[in-house]
Amino acid sequence: MFILVIKITSHIYPIQIKLNFIKQYYYLSLIITVRKKIIAGNWKMHKTQAEALEFLSVLKLNLANTTEKADIVLCVPFTLLSLLSKSLHGGNIHLGAQNIHWANEGAFTGEISGSMLVDLNANYVIVGHSERRQYFGETDKIVNEKVIAAQYHKIKPILCVGETKKQRDAGEVEKVIVKQLEQSLVNVDQGNLVIAYEPIWAIGTGETCNVLEANRIIGIIREQVTNKGITIQYGGSVTPKNISEIMTQPNIDGVLVGGASLNPLSFSEIINY
């Protein structure tokens, strides 16, 4: 006799099978983890408050009858966090920031701390984006400190990793990614983390990494982490035209969208893939 009981709790599916052999009962317990899908938009340095409100009104209209396939996150400039915190309250769109300082307070002109982000109801924060690494000199050590700071404040970091075109052409992709992960994940709680694979040469260029290659690299990333149920996104010229193909890949759990997230129509198409 087989009795199959499935209990669904927070994306974890415990399955217990009861076996009856000559009045003896044996229990086989299996844990099936269904990875959470997350579609996040990174607005970078775009939009005034009026533009943000106009965007939201159109986006919400286009998502009114959407079947929820993934969690939706908008990572916006600091100047919009307070406004969108009120506008998104009680909805199904989560608020994210684009940067966090490793210190909780101090003489760090122009920076923002985790406690400030908590005060603005930010649920997510992007850490280690290639533009921060390239233009502001963020190292893997700094990225690691920022991830830890975010987790200390119960904010989920979206940790970005990826290679340059030069590194890819030199056959160093795996080496670069593994090194970034090793240094960025020191003392990090992998149960409160999202990773985004963003090949730097594909960001904002219109050139998308081949989906099979993206899936392969994300598989390598998953091999490096202890939490095999972690959400790993792809980022790099994601559009409504390629989202379906990206989301069919078995290792890819979502996307981090740049330019296409600035238009409510294209972003809603991506969400509704």
Coordinates of all heavy atoms in Angstrom, one line a residue, residues 191-247:
G191 N 21.0 31.2 2.2 CA 19.5 31.1 2.3 C 18.8 32.4 2.1 O 17.6 32.4 1.9
N192 N 19.5 33.5 2.2 CA 18.9 34.8 2.0 C 19.7 35.6 0.9 O 20.3 36.6 1.1 CB 19.0 35.6 3.3 CG 18.3 37.0 3.2 OD1 17.3 37.1 2.5 ND2 18.9 38.0 3.9
L193 N 19.7 35.0 -0.3 CA 20.6 35.5 -1.4 C 20.0 35.2 -2.7 O 19.4 34.1 -2.9 CB 22.0 34.9 -1.2 CG 23.0 35.3 -2.3 CD1 23.5 36.8 -2.0 CD2 24.3 34.4 -2.2
V194 N 20.2 36.1 -3.7 CA 19.9 35.8 -5.1 C 21.2 36.1 -5.8 O 22.0 37.0 -5.5 CB 18.8 36.8 -5.7 CG1 18.7 36.6 -7.2 CG2 17.5 36.5 -4.9
I195 N 21.6 35.3 -6.8 CA 22.8 35.5 -7.6 C 22.3 35.9 -9.1 O 21.4 35.2 -9.6 CB 23.7 34.3 -7.7 CG1 24.2 34.1 -6.2 CG2 24.9 34.5 -8.6 CD1 25.1 32.8 -6.1
A196 N 22.9 36.8 -9.7 CA 22.6 37.2 -11.1 C 23.9 37.0 -11.9 O 24.9 37.7 -11.6 CB 22.1 38.6 -11.2
Y197 N 23.8 36.2 -12.9 CA 25.0 36.1 -13.9 C 24.7 37.1 -15.0 O 23.8 37.0 -15.7 CB 25.0 34.7 -14.4 CG 26.0 34.6 -15.6 CD1 27.3 35.0 -15.5 CD2 25.5 34.2 -16.9 CE1 28.2 34.9 -16.6 CE2 26.4 34.1 -18.0 CZ 27.7 34.5 -17.8 OH 28.6 34.5 -18.9
E198 N 25.6 38.1 -15.0 CA 25.6 39.1 -16.0 C 26.9 39.2 -16.8 O 27.8 39.9 -16.3 CB 25.3 40.5 -15.4 CG 23.8 40.6 -14.8 CD 23.4 42.1 -14.7 OE1 24.2 42.8 -14.1 OE2 22.4 42.4 -15.3
P199 N 27.0 38.6 -17.9 CA 28.2 38.7 -18.7 C 28.3 40.2 -19.1 O 27.4 40.8 -19.8 CB 28.0 37.8 -20.0 CG 26.5 37.6 -20.0 CD 26.0 37.7 -18.6
I200 N 29.4 40.8 -18.7 CA 29.6 42.3 -18.8 C 29.4 42.7 -20.3 O 28.9 43.8 -20.6 CB 30.9 42.7 -18.2 CG1 30.9 42.4 -16.7 CG2 31.2 44.2 -18.4 CD1 32.3 42.5 -16.0
W201 N 29.9 41.9 -21.2 CA 29.9 42.3 -22.6 C 28.5 42.3 -23.2 O 28.3 42.8 -24.3 CB 30.8 41.3 -23.4 CG 30.5 39.9 -23.1 CD1 31.1 39.1 -22.1 CD2 29.6 39.0 -23.8 NE1 30.6 37.9 -22.1 CE2 29.7 37.8 -23.1 CE3 28.7 39.2 -24.8 CZ2 28.9 36.7 -23.5 CZ3 27.9 38.1 -25.2 CH2 28.0 36.9 -24.6
A202 N 27.5 41.8 -22.5 CA 26.1 41.7 -22.9 C 25.3 42.8 -22.3 O 24.1 42.9 -22.7 CB 25.5 40.3 -22.7
I203 N 25.8 43.5 -21.4 CA 25.0 44.5 -20.6 C 24.8 45.8 -21.4 O 25.8 46.5 -21.7 CB 25.6 44.8 -19.2 CG1 25.6 43.6 -18.4 CG2 24.8 45.9 -18.5 CD1 26.3 43.8 -17.1
G204 N 23.6 46.1 -21.8 CA 23.3 47.3 -22.6 C 23.9 47.4 -24.0 O 23.9 48.4 -24.6
T205 N 24.4 46.3 -24.5 CA 25.0 46.3 -25.8 C 24.0 45.7 -26.9 O 24.3 45.9 -28.1 CB 26.2 45.4 -25.8 OG1 25.9 44.0 -25.5 CG2 27.3 45.8 -24.8
G206 N 23.0 45.1 -26.4 CA 22.1 44.5 -27.4 C 22.5 43.1 -27.7 O 21.8 42.3 -28.4
E207 N 23.7 42.7 -27.3 CA 24.2 41.4 -27.5 C 23.9 40.5 -26.4 O 24.3 40.7 -25.2 CB 25.8 41.5 -27.8 CG 26.4 40.2 -28.2 CD 27.9 40.3 -28.4 OE1 28.4 41.4 -28.4 OE2 28.5 39.3 -28.7
T208 N 23.2 39.4 -26.6 CA 22.7 38.5 -25.5 C 23.6 37.3 -25.6 O 23.9 36.7 -26.6 CB 21.3 38.1 -25.7 OG1 20.5 39.3 -25.8 CG2 20.8 37.3 -24.5
C209 N 24.0 36.8 -24.4 CA 24.7 35.5 -24.3 C 23.8 34.4 -24.8 O 22.6 34.4 -24.5 CB 25.1 35.3 -22.9 SG 26.0 33.8 -22.6
N210 N 24.3 33.5 -25.6 CA 23.5 32.4 -26.1 C 22.9 31.7 -24.9 O 23.5 31.4 -23.9 CB 24.5 31.4 -26.8 CG 23.7 30.2 -27.3 OD1 23.5 29.2 -26.5 ND2 23.3 30.2 -28.5
V211 N 21.6 31.4 -25.0 CA 20.9 30.9 -23.8 C 21.5 29.5 -23.3 O 21.5 29.3 -22.1 CB 19.4 30.7 -24.1 CG1 18.7 32.0 -24.3 CG2 19.2 29.8 -25.3
L212 N 22.0 28.7 -24.2 CA 22.5 27.4 -23.8 C 23.8 27.7 -23.0 O 24.1 27.0 -22.0 CB 22.8 26.5 -25.0 CG 21.6 26.1 -25.7 CD1 22.0 25.2 -26.9 CD2 20.6 25.3 -24.8
E213 N 24.6 28.7 -23.4 CA 25.8 29.0 -22.7 C 25.5 29.7 -21.4 O 26.2 29.4 -20.4 CB 26.7 30.0 -23.6 CG 27.9 30.6 -22.9 CD 28.9 29.5 -22.5 OE1 28.8 28.3 -22.8 OE2 29.9 29.9 -21.9
A214 N 24.5 30.6 -21.4 CA 24.1 31.2 -20.1 C 23.6 30.1 -19.1 O 24.0 30.1 -17.9 CB 23.0 32.2 -20.3
N215 N 22.9 29.1 -19.6 CA 22.4 28.0 -18.8 C 23.6 27.2 -18.2 O 23.6 26.8 -17.1 CB 21.5 27.1 -19.6 CG 20.9 26.0 -18.7 OD1 20.1 26.3 -17.8 ND2 21.3 24.8 -19.0
R216 N 24.6 27.0 -19.1 CA 25.8 26.3 -18.7 C 26.6 27.0 -17.5 O 26.9 26.4 -16.5 CB 26.7 26.0 -19.9 CG 28.0 25.2 -19.6 CD 28.9 25.1 -20.8 NE 29.6 26.3 -21.0 CZ 30.8 26.6 -20.3 NH1 31.3 25.7 -19.4 NH2 31.4 27.7 -20.6
I217 N 26.8 28.3 -17.7 CA 27.5 29.1 -16.7 C 26.7 29.1 -15.4 O 27.3 29.0 -14.3 CB 27.8 30.5 -17.2 CG1 28.7 30.4 -18.5 CG2 28.4 31.3 -16.1 CD1 30.0 29.8 -18.2
I218 N 25.4 29.3 -15.5 CA 24.6 29.3 -14.3 C 24.7 27.9 -13.6 O 24.6 27.8 -12.3 CB 23.2 29.8 -14.6 CG1 23.2 31.3 -14.9 CG2 22.2 29.5 -13.4 CD1 21.9 31.8 -15.3
G219 N 24.8 26.9 -14.4 CA 24.9 25.5 -13.8 C 26.3 25.4 -13.0 O 26.3 24.8 -11.9
I220 N 27.3 26.1 -13.6 CA 28.6 26.1 -12.9 C 28.5 26.9 -11.6 O 29.1 26.5 -10.5 CB 29.7 26.7 -13.8 CG1 30.0 25.7 -15.0 CG2 31.0 27.0 -13.0 CD1 30.9 26.3 -16.0
I221 N 27.8 28.0 -11.6 CA 27.6 28.8 -10.4 C 26.9 28.0 -9.4 O 27.2 28.0 -8.2 CB 26.7 30.1 -10.8 CG1 27.5 31.0 -11.6 CG2 26.3 30.8 -9.5 CD1 26.8 32.2 -12.2
R222 N 25.8 27.2 -9.8 CA 25.1 26.4 -8.8 C 26.0 25.3 -8.2 O 25.8 25.0 -7.0 CB 23.9 25.8 -9.5 CG 22.8 25.4 -8.4 CD 21.5 24.9 -9.1 NE 20.9 25.9 -10.0 CZ 20.2 26.9 -9.5 NH1 20.1 27.1 -8.2 NH2 19.7 27.8 -10.4
E223 N 27.0 24.9 -8.9 CA 27.9 23.9 -8.4 C 28.8 24.5 -7.3 O 29.2 23.7 -6.4 CB 28.8 23.3 -9.5 CG 28.1 22.4 -10.5 CD 28.9 22.1 -11.7 OE1 30.1 22.5 -11.7 OE2 28.5 21.3 -12.6
Q224 N 29.0 25.8 -7.3 CA 29.9 26.4 -6.3 C 29.2 26.8 -5.0 O 29.9 27.1 -4.0 CB 30.5 27.7 -7.0 CG 31.1 27.5 -8.3 CD 32.2 26.5 -8.3 OE1 33.1 26.5 -7.4 NE2 32.2 25.6 -9.2
V225 N 27.9 26.8 -5.0 CA 27.1 27.2 -3.8 C 26.7 26.0 -3.0 O 26.5 24.9 -3.6 CB 25.9 28.1 -4.1 CG1 26.4 29.4 -4.8 CG2 24.9 27.4 -5.0
T226 N 26.5 26.2 -1.7 CA 26.0 25.1 -0.9 C 24.5 25.0 -0.9 O 24.0 23.9 -0.7 CB 26.5 25.3 0.6 OG1 26.1 26.6 1.0 CG2 28.0 25.3 0.7
N227 N 23.8 26.1 -1.1 CA 22.4 26.1 -1.2 C 22.0 25.9 -2.6 O 21.9 26.8 -3.4 CB 21.8 27.5 -0.7 CG 20.3 27.5 -0.8 OD1 19.6 26.5 -1.0 ND2 19.8 28.8 -0.8
K228 N 21.6 24.6 -3.0 CA 21.3 24.3 -4.3 C 20.0 24.9 -4.8 O 19.6 24.9 -5.9 CB 21.3 22.8 -4.5 CG 22.7 22.1 -4.2 CD 23.8 22.8 -4.9 CE 25.2 22.1 -4.5 NZ 26.3 22.8 -5.1
G229 N 19.2 25.4 -3.8 CA 17.9 25.9 -4.1 C 17.9 27.4 -4.3 O 16.9 28.1 -4.5
I230 N 19.1 28.0 -4.4 CA 19.2 29.4 -4.5 C 18.7 29.9 -5.9 O 18.9 29.2 -6.9 CB 20.7 29.8 -4.3 CG1 20.8 31.3 -4.1 CG2 21.6 29.4 -5.5 CD1 22.2 31.8 -3.7
T231 N 18.1 31.1 -5.9 CA 17.6 31.6 -7.2 C 18.8 32.3 -7.9 O 19.5 33.1 -7.4 CB 16.6 32.7 -7.0 OG1 15.4 32.1 -6.4 CG2 16.2 33.4 -8.3
I232 N 19.0 31.8 -9.2 CA 20.1 32.4 -10.0 C 19.5 33.0 -11.3 O 18.8 32.3 -12.1 CB 21.2 31.4 -10.4 CG1 21.7 30.7 -9.1 CG2 22.3 32.0 -11.1 CD1 22.8 29.7 -9.3
Q233 N 19.7 34.3 -11.5 CA 19.1 35.0 -12.6 C 20.1 35.1 -13.8 O 21.3 35.0 -13.5 CB 18.7 36.4 -12.2 CG 17.7 36.4 -11.1 CD 17.4 37.9 -10.6 OE1 18.4 38.6 -10.3 NE2 16.2 38.3 -10.7
Y234 N 19.6 35.4 -14.9 CA 20.5 35.9 -16.0 C 20.2 37.3 -16.3 O 19.0 37.8 -16.2 CB 20.2 35.1 -17.3 CG 20.9 35.7 -18.5 CD1 22.2 35.6 -18.7 CD2 20.1 36.5 -19.4 CE1 22.9 36.2 -19.8 CE2 20.8 37.2 -20.5 CZ 22.1 37.0 -20.6 OH 22.7 37.7 -21.7
G235 N 21.2 38.1 -16.6 CA 21.1 39.5 -17.0 C 22.0 39.9 -18.1 O 23.1 39.4 -18.2
G236 N 21.5 40.7 -19.0 CA 22.3 41.1 -20.1 C 21.5 41.2 -21.4 O 21.3 40.2 -22.1
S237 N 20.9 42.4 -21.7 CA 20.1 42.6 -22.9 C 18.9 41.7 -23.0 O 18.6 41.1 -24.0 CB 21.0 42.5 -24.2 OG 22.0 43.5 -24.2
V238 N 18.2 41.6 -21.8 CA 17.0 40.8 -21.8 C 15.9 41.6 -22.4 O 15.7 42.8 -22.1 CB 16.6 40.4 -20.3 CG1 15.3 39.7 -20.3 CG2 17.7 39.6 -19.7
T239 N 15.1 41.0 -23.3 CA 14.0 41.7 -24.0 C 12.8 40.8 -24.1 O 12.8 39.6 -23.8 CB 14.4 42.1 -25.4 OG1 14.5 40.9 -26.2 CG2 15.7 42.8 -25.5
P240 N 11.6 41.4 -24.4 CA 10.4 40.6 -24.6 C 10.6 39.5 -25.7 O 10.0 38.4 -25.6 CB 9.4 41.6 -25.1 CG 9.8 42.9 -24.5 CD 11.3 42.9 -24.6
K241 N 11.5 39.7 -26.6 CA 11.8 38.7 -27.7 C 12.5 37.5 -27.3 O 12.3 36.4 -27.8 CB 12.5 39.4 -28.9 CG 11.7 40.5 -29.6 CD 12.5 41.0 -30.8 CE 11.6 42.0 -31.6 NZ 12.4 42.6 -32.7
N242 N 13.4 37.7 -26.3 CA 14.2 36.5 -25.8 C 13.8 35.9 -24.5 O 14.4 34.9 -24.1 CB 15.7 36.8 -25.9 CG 16.1 38.0 -25.0 OD1 15.5 38.2 -24.0 ND2 17.1 38.7 -25.4
I243 N 12.9 36.5 -23.8 CA 12.6 36.1 -22.4 C 12.1 34.7 -22.3 O 12.5 33.9 -21.5 CB 11.6 37.1 -21.7 CG1 11.3 36.6 -20.3 CG2 10.3 37.2 -22.5 CD1 12.5 36.7 -19.4
S244 N 11.2 34.3 -23.3 CA 10.6 32.9 -23.2 C 11.7 31.9 -23.4 O 11.8 30.9 -22.6 CB 9.6 32.7 -24.3 OG 8.5 33.6 -24.1
E245 N 12.7 32.1 -24.3 CA 13.8 31.1 -24.5 C 14.7 31.1 -23.3 O 15.1 30.0 -22.9 CB 14.6 31.5 -25.7 CG 15.6 30.5 -26.1 CD 16.4 30.9 -27.4 OE1 16.3 32.1 -27.8 OE2 17.1 30.0 -27.9
I246 N 14.9 32.2 -22.7 CA 15.7 32.3 -21.5 C 15.1 31.5 -20.3 O 15.7 30.7 -19.6 CB 16.0 33.8 -21.0 CG1 16.9 34.5 -22.0 CG2 16.6 33.8 -19.6 CD1 17.0 36.0 -21.8
M247 N 13.8 31.7 -20.1 CA 13.1 31.1 -19.0 C 12.8 29.6 -19.2 O 12.4 29.0 -18.2 CB 11.8 31.9 -18.7 CG 12.0 33.3 -18.2 SD 13.0 33.4 -16.7 CE 11.9 32.7 -15.5

